[in-house]
Amino acid sequence: MAEPGSVDLNLVASTVNGSGSQSANLVLTRALFAMGIPVSPKNLFPSNIEGLPTWFYLRANSAGYRAGRRRADLLVALDRATFAEDVKRLEPGGVLVYEEAFGVPEPGADHLHLYPVPFASLAKSAIPDPDLRKYLTNMIYVGVVAEILGIPDSALEDALLHQFRSKPNALSSNRQAIALGRDYFGTHLTKTDLLRVEPIDRTSGKLLLEGNQTAALGALMAGCTVLAWYPITPSSSLAEHLIGLADRYRVDPASGERRIATIQAEDELAAAGMVLGAGWAGARSMTTTSGPGISLMAEFIGLGYYAEIPGVFVDVQRVGPSTGLPTRTMQGDVSFAYTLSHGDTRHPVLIPGTVLECYEFMQWAFDLAEQLQTPIFVLSDLDLGMNLWMTDPLPYPTTGFDRGKVLHKDELDQMARFERYRDVDGDGVAWRTVPGTEHPLAAYFTRGSGHDEAARYTESDETYTRVIDRLARKLESGIEKLPPPLLEGGSAEVGIIAYGSSDPAVEEALDVLAVEGVAADYLRLRALPMAPSVADFVAAHERVYVVDQNRDGQMFQILQVELGPLLAARLRSVRHYDGLPLFAADLVDAIRPLESTRVGQSAVPLVGAGH
Amino acid sequence: MAEPGSVDLNLVASTVNGSGSQSANLVLTRALFAMGIPVSPKNLFPSNIEGLPTWFYLRANSAGYRAGRRRADLLVALDRATFAEDVKRLEPGGVLVYEEAFGVPEPGADHLHLYPVPFASLAKSAIPDPDLRKYLTNMIYVGVVAEILGIPDSALEDALLHQFRSKPNALSSNRQAIALGRDYFGTHLTKTDLLRVEPIDRTSGKLLLEGNQTAALGALMAGCTVLAWYPITPSSSLAEHLIGLADRYRVDPASGERRIATIQAEDELAAAGMVLGAGWAGARSMTTTSGPGISLMAEFIGLGYYAEIPGVFVDVQRVGPSTGLPTRTMQGDVSFAYTLSHGDTRHPVLIPGTVLECYEFMQWAFDLAEQLQTPIFVLSDLDLGMNLWMTDPLPYPTTGFDRGKVLHKDELDQMARFERYRDVDGDGVAWRTVPGTEHPLAAYFTRGSGHDEAARYTESDETYTRVIDRLARKLESGIEKLPPPLLEGGSAEVGIIAYGSSDPAVEEALDVLAVEGVAADYLRLRALPMAPSVADFVAAHERVYVVDQNRDGQMFQILQVELGPLLAARLRSVRHYDGLPLFAADLVDAIRPLESTRVGQSAVPLVGAGH
Amino acid sequence: MATASVKTNLLGLSRDEYKGLATTLCAGCGHNSITNHIVKALYDHGVNPYRLAKMSGIGCSSKATAYFVERAHAFNAVHGRMPAVTTGAAVADRDLLFFGISGDGDTASIGLGQFCHLLRRNVDCTYLVENNGVYGLTKGQFSATADLGSVQKKGAVNQLETIDIAGLAVQLGASFVARSFSGDGAQLVPLLRAALSHRGTAVLDVISPCVTFNDHDGSTKSYQYVKEHELILQELDFIPSQHEVEVNYPEGSATEVELHDGSHLRLRKLGREHDPRDRIAALQVIDDARQRGEVVTGLLYVNPDTADLCTAERLPQTPLRDLDEAQLRLSPGQFRELLEEWA
Amino acid sequence: MATASVKTNLLGLSRDEYKGLATTLCAGCGHNSITNHIVKALYDHGVNPYRLAKMSGIGCSSKATAYFVERAHAFNAVHGRMPAVTTGAAVADRDLLFFGISGDGDTASIGLGQFCHLLRRNVDCTYLVENNGVYGLTKGQFSATADLGSVQKKGAVNQLETIDIAGLAVQLGASFVARSFSGDGAQLVPLLRAALSHRGTAVLDVISPCVTFNDHDGSTKSYQYVKEHELILQELDFIPSQHEVEVNYPEGSATEVELHDGSHLRLRKLGREHDPRDRIAALQVIDDARQRGEVVTGLLYVNPDTADLCTAERLPQTPLRDLDEAQLRLSPGQFRELLEEWA
Ligand SMILES: Cc1ncc(C[n+]2csc(CCOP(=O)(O)OP(=O)(O)O)c2C)c(N)n1
Ligand SMILES: Cc1ncc(C[n+]2csc(CCOP(=O)(O)OP(=O)(O)O)c2C)c(N)n1
Ligand code: SF4
Ligand code: SF4
Ligand SMILES: [Mg+2]
Ligand SMILES: [Mg+2]
């Protein structure tokens, strides 16, 4: 490792879910964080409640790289079922901490630093209560790892205090378990590896937050007053965070009144209907779901589009098709959500790439929904939503809500007539009223069938065409209101276009490629439909790699259509779709060969698991 | 009119729905047909049961053009509510037959041939019973029109006999009503116009059939044994035709047993589930619906795709989005159906362009569903499905069913092991068993969650990728089994790509353009994903106009992606989306200017109603 | 002046102001009669048009919301999904008076799940089903309320058990369940007013013959059939509490229900005794009538003391849409505090 | 040989051949106990594994079909939609024995509409709901069967009326409705065998505690609660007609139900009399128990004489998939004839 304190460590802990390994993993994470080392932890957990293999990935990188790495420098193997496979995930010369009872790993492991630890018997002797024991066994591994890496007790103490701030009486037993591990390593094993971490100062002022958590706070600060949802991994925690915040900040202590309705619907189809009903009645309403829920919302989204009803629809994406891999990550719903529902439709889609943007884009989305009077999608994913990410503090909003074009009694008093669907301002957005407006002009009829500017039923060919054309115009004129793409660099010959949770891997890959002599600029898409600057970016680069975390290169396809053939010719598709988060190496391995041998085919399927 | 007997007549009858005008319209249609004149009738009816305006378009063209025409040569105006508007639909110098009581039409109509007829009072004096009178008033107009055009009684008699073959006692009263009209015209009015029809021999051996009717027969001949459906215009009549045929041809006279299950589901979501359940159990199952139903089927279609279950899904398209215009036609669900459901999915789509193909493609679809073990879409539309079209007789099937790769007990006896999702033949299609197979190897577990080749549950990144890649391969290798595109001409510089019910308008437009000096070749797409020959066609033409009956140029977009940027540059989009059937003039008017002034923009939105 | 002579209700509105667009339904459709009774009930009840929200699904019946109170907002949802839309709107503004119209296909076929969950949540609304046993708008297929053995116009015979909307609602614990007949204004208007006064979901299962596709022998929803088999369970005497009205009904045999707005609903027993607060009795009476091939009408069950969704959710009286940044956001102080906790 | 000593059922199969994969559910989950009872019932009943079709939706409960009879086909549908899939499969092959497992969320929340329509069609299958009042697989949110006032692990209190799956099924006219408890094999196994013998939809609402998210005070689905409040309505003595078995139960107080396959189900009354052919009585007994905060278990209602869907649709005994061109197509003659008609 180069300059002092520089760290690039990838730790993998393999345990069984439901065994409480989570808190051990978090203590380790927070301890390194407390040492000032940037960390990004990831849980690979099964779609199951208890007893199946689960993996914890912890990247600690002093340069601040947030993406994970496929192979481990240090593996903690506590699950016999996956022991043999897990050992293969180690880098050559890596460090293996494992339950002694598993026995020496298969041949091929001899190039490793082996630290067998009798976790079970250690725990047995030290912790009488069986439940507590199962749970604390994981803490023992923290002690072992601390000893190996040289994590000071002070850092562990910080972590423990944070982890158990709500249950202080759990502190001592956990502290002891850690000590147990530390002592065992000190007395029975000798360190042969070179892994080491030292305190640096790269985390002060930072927070470790989950995207679903920051999105929930964003919704609360956006003035969301109606949440209708149906539980589904990985989006449930967004709703549950929001409900938790609401219980705390939306309840009138005096009256006990709650300034938000949080309805657990009977399914996603109903949830979507509730969102539209509330949006129609003028409230800021949202739902949060994942792939299967998006499919069930298809019909209602078409109604929202055609009847022009605001609503915020969050899709925390997981692996499809169908039930797919509910606890793995993917960007698989991009094209489906973008034109969801039968007939000609198109919806604004916001794509946050950081937990900070999860917070900001939720507020952006609620304004957009009312500005454009249409359903707004926010596409997050499991990696972004359910893992902890290091972030700058979330800023307090600097502006108020933009409620869009709503006419109230006093404004109607000034008007000769009101027509719900008349484009009076030329931006394609008409004015609306909400039910309950005490004025003879206010009422109108909302329907998903053919209607004219005055919201009257019609089957007229001319009127139908006029209205549907305005809807297309409305979206066009709305583009400037959407989160613009972010641009990095500018003069290179090669460009990379990515979006959402691909950002950390791209950031790291850019540096690696640069070192290898491939300079590339980076444009991060943050919304659809696409801003004009995307075309400029493509026009300014010879070859542009479009990074999709899905099989079919969905964003690549959307770009082909929206950029037109001339620019489309410059696009190359890079695809990652094995359900694991995107790793920098996957990108580098995909782009390197194409750049060294300037042969650009137009699609580079990238079976992430393949290497 | 040039050579003797040549006819190009466009008649429009404007009446009130529920008044029984249908049978009058049909008698007129059949009378001309009996004279040997090719006819194509179209109903523009409201989404309502009784009392609203409805229009009947009848194109009689000796050259055999099947498309409609926007403007009328002869208008029969029986609805006061739309009288003024309807008159504007007449060609200059056109013929107007109208209820005398409406009074002389607005100025501007003086260039027309006016034939006022006191329909109401005529009926009143002649037909005592009020219900019968309301109904027969329409027949009177048939007599008037017959007199004007010179339709012989013999032809009318043929038509009447056909129309009332099941209720012969209705014959005489209808006959009298026609005579009433004929006599009134003869005695009170003098023919000033030049419209005339003469017998020719261009319809012998032909039939007049609806697409939904022929599709139903196709399903029956394909061995469909499970129909699960939910009523929706314009697809209901397909299900009802099939049920009618089943009652007649699938019931064992002795036992009364029915060799088909026709289940009216509680909604489309359930219907889709029933189709998959039946397909999984080995039966040939189908559903038929329209846009809103497709939206509701999204989740199940994803299951069918990922779990590889056969099923036939017919979408008789109507105008969307949402409820839209339920009784108007559009090709609005193409891109939505093609990749329906969340995650990476793609489904074979068959697109019949004639009533004959509606019959053939249903049989094709059932074979494909079992060959490829996946949901197959058949995309028809209201124009094709609910209007009568002249066609050659439907051929009796020459081959048996292709049930695809199904393993039975005796085959399993020969095998060491069976794995449901193993690609043993290299074509991406694995072998399946059906429940009830009496063999220890037969059973497997069907699920929409991650599974390996042996149908075992897995969350493995490598396995997931392997399976989802095979699904992509399966569809690729299936392309050669799909209905190939049809090609006309070949050496022109200009190409036209169209699909489905656009065919008649394109056929006519080709001739018109040719006369105007624009020679064009024509490729009709009949399935997605696209055959290689489409690329060849585009490569062989400078400019290729892609005709879509939707706002967003859905097929144009699909072509852009599937052909790649180089060929995409040659494509131009022509769009018609006002809910009316596509008229040849719409295409000519759109293409002419671009071809005269060789300026090809890439999109030519065509507001059909605009001219 | 002429206008001076126009009769008005307690809001000073004439009955015409409760009318809507001209109907586009078939002449003689039961749905049209219901529309007229609704107009009368809303007028008599003095409902404020501006606070009325007319909700419906898809179907001939669902079109009916266009035919009364033109000055009220209306939402024509997608097929079978009016309950979800109404639930969302109801929590957004609990001040509105929600009047929902649905059909039997809309409610008992595609919409059955949502209907049941609407009842479970006891959303404060009137939910009127114009029940004709067929899909009118799609030309006469059977719905899930088509009776076993009834014959379709096209001749098909229904093979399946009917779903009794009223019975189902009672079983699911709905707080107000009544049944009536489109031709019986004397009974329906008071029931409508009782429903309007009820807090929680008030279900009205109104038999409403489809004259075009279902008014023929064999159908148990036709005028003929119903007129012959109908059995009036109660007459209703509705006394709004705004002003005392002398009514001379015989005392004694009356069950009096107090509705949440303080108005009283007095039920007169006919033929047999029925206590509309007894769930099992309600199920029994529905079942008995069914056994005899009869249609029982009247107020079957009511529980005035249930909490509607907004109450259960403890929502403020102010419509949620009217809350502002100060009421909805964390204060800067709270925000800082929270982030520190999260640090 | 050792194998000789292995006990087998009338098909000559050992009990092990009715086992499935090892469970991946939580240790102690009620669902696991139910799986064991299912294995016993299928073994005792001598069910042919090859004719068994295991159907389920999505949830911990729905995973259970993987844990018995590995040699039977299984279909794990999408969430809440098992009824539709089962309906399609049931008409495709009426020879199969359909055994469906669902959860309370799967059935009473997202799947409620389909569940009701499955009952309406009386599809021939066993439909077992592993009812724990929560969404186990998504970590413990309330389902629609969560009881009013019960407390979630996270502390939230359910504000809504519970949906009583058994009561709802009876009201909708289901032909077989029973309730039991996952810990009560003595009662559940005979009920399962009765369900297997029943033609039509047999609903088993089995209380099955979620030890991870719902086994705590306040929850009315927990072991504690149920054990304390459970009320055994009947014990069951199931006599397969294949061979006579002497049983010595006291005569007299028995109601005997003959099931379609000729087997007899004799019910012994305990404490009170309950006639399982009396719908209203079933509703009453469910309601009474509920009033007392009790859970009533046993065979609540059965009607052995209903026609299942395949019978109503008059489908042939041959599975539809096995019909060939000759049986399904018009003959050339009929075809010609039809086209002439259409000409
Ligand atoms: C998702 C969907 N499926 C089907 C339809 C077609 N459709 C319109 S109305 C209707 C049924 C109406 O029946 P009902 O609710 O009883 O109303 P009625 O016309 O009898 O008054 C159907 C099936 C639709 N509009 N949307
Ligand atoms: C359409 C859809 N929505 C949500 C989910 C997420 N989900 C999986 S299981 C489940 C609920 C399971 O509860 P229950 O049916 O009671 O089964 P249990 O786990 O309690 O046995 C949910 C909401 C899903 N798989 N599909
Ligand atoms: S079709 Fe039936 S339900 Fe519809 S309007 Fe006509 S009579 Fe009424
Ligand atoms: S979470 Fe509950 S329901 Fe799921 S397996 Fe564990 S105990 Fe059973
Ligand atoms: Mg109806
Ligand atoms: Mg549950």
Side-chain angles (χ1 to χ4, degrees), chain A residues 225-278:
Chain A
T225 52
V226 176
L227 165 71
W229 68 296
Y230 190 71
I232 185 167
T233 308
S235 97
S236 302
S237 63
L238 199 168
E240 286 160 343
H241 274 296
L242 179 51
I243 292 166
L245 289 168
D247 291 340
R248 208 167 140 180
Y249 297 109
R250 286 284 182 85
V251 179
D252 184 314
S255 63
E257 282 181 350
R258 227 158 156 264
R259 294 189 300 275
I260 185 172
T262 53
I263 308 173
Q264 187 183 309
E266 57 269 35
D267 62 13
E268 293 85 347
L269 202 156
M274 293 173 189
V275 170
L276 293 187

Side-chain angles (χ1 to χ4, degrees), chain B residues 265-284:
Chain B
E266 58 268 35
D267 63 13
E268 293 85 348
L269 202 156
M274 293 173 187
V275 170
L276 293 187
W280 172 77
R284 292 200 144 189

Side-chain angles (χ1 to χ4, degrees), chain A residues 445-465:
Chain A
F445 202 100
T446 302
R447 51 163 65 85
S449 48
H451 46 270
D452 65 10
E453 284 75 1
R456 287 177 301 237
Y457 180 78
T458 180
E459 295 172 357
S460 150
D461 47 6
E462 281 152 343
T463 313
Y464 168 81
T465 317

